[in-house]
Amino acid sequence: LAAMITSGELTASFTAAPQRVSLTLMSAHAVVRLPGSASYAVSTQASSGSVQVNVPQDAHSGHRVTARLNSSDLQLQPT
């Protein structure tokens, strides 16, 4: 999944762990639900806003989540 959201909302849910999720959020809110059975390499850059990561993390995982936020909120939740 690759998404750029400006002044909006995104809700996404995966039944299988994705290899790559790439998000750019500007004045936006996103909730991404990922299978909790996998670990994720999560990388975020936030100039303002908040990031909540509630899924297992592993910097060496092949499942990558990258996000750039500007005045935005991101939640990574387990399915």
Side-chain angles (χ1 to χ4, degrees), residues 2-27:
M4 176 185 276
I5 308 296
T6 302
S7 300
E9 293 189 20
L10 169 72
T11 301
S13 185
F14 293 88
T15 57
Q19 291 298 309
R20 185 171 190 86
V21 174
S22 178
L23 302 170
T24 301
L25 305 173
M26 293 176 279
S27 300

Side-chain angles (χ1 to χ4, degrees), residues 1 3-5 9 11 16 23 30 42 48 51 53 65 72 75 78:
L1 169 70
M4 176 185 276
I5 308 296
E9 293 189 20
T11 301
L23 302 170
V42 178
S48 64
V51 177
V53 179
V65 177
S72 299
Q75 295 179 25

Side-chain angles (χ1 to χ4, degrees), residues 38-43 52-61 63 76:
S39 299
Y40 302 88
V42 178
S43 172
Q52 229 180 33
V53 179
N54 295 319
V55 294
Q57 294 185 66
D58 177 354
H60 303 291
S61 175
H63 305 287
L76 301 177

